[in-house]
Amino acid sequence: MHPPTSPARQWRVPPAVPAVKLAGAVGLVALGLLLADGDPVRLALAVAAAVGIAAWAVRDLLAPVRLAVDADGITVVRGYAGRRYLPWEAVEAVTVDRRTRFGLTGETLEIDAGETLHLLGRADLGAPPAEVAEAVRAARP
């Protein structure tokens, strides 16, 4: 079965997220230039970190839709910018994992497809994972 052409509902990375990452990469290079004092190692480390952050931002631009749901199944992001289609028969559970660390509670949407587990956070979805889990469960026939 192939992925649907028009999903009933989709969740994507908010546009501000890649913009902040790119700004952070530029800021890191500027900071590296400012603090390098002629030391090529400091500048190289700053540039290497900036390239990593920029690559992370490019992923958000190449694959902004992290989750799409329709009557036939779910499409999730896979790898750097790939997609994987899961028919409803392959989806065993849709849950939200809540963890408290350092006084902050974080939520992660978990889509269990048997041999694979797909994890998506609020920054991936642009919405609270609990809200998305309810919508995904409601879309399941």
Side-chain angles (χ1 to χ4, degrees), residues 72-98:
D72 297 325
I74 299 174
T75 303
V76 293
V77 73
R78 178 181 182 190
Y80 185 75
R83 300 208 182 326
R84 179 165 185 210
Y85 180 72
L86 304 167
W88 283 117
E89 300 82 44
V91 178
E92 293 180 8
V94 176
T95 59
V96 175
D97 181 44
R98 288 180 184 85

Side-chain angles (χ1 to χ4, degrees), residues 100-124:
T100 302
R101 183 177 275 177
F102 303 116
L104 300 172
T105 301
E107 290 185 339
T108 305
L109 176 68
E110 295 182 353
I111 299 172
D112 185 355
E115 294 182 15
T116 59
L117 182 64
H118 303 275
L119 306 171
L120 302 160
R122 186 181 183 114
D124 293 314

Side-chain angles (χ1 to χ4, degrees), residues 26-39 42-43 46-47:
V26 170
L28 252 165
V29 170
L31 193 60
L33 287 170
L34 183 68
L35 300 177
D37 289 333
D39 183 5
R42 286 184 190 177
L43 183 57
V47 169

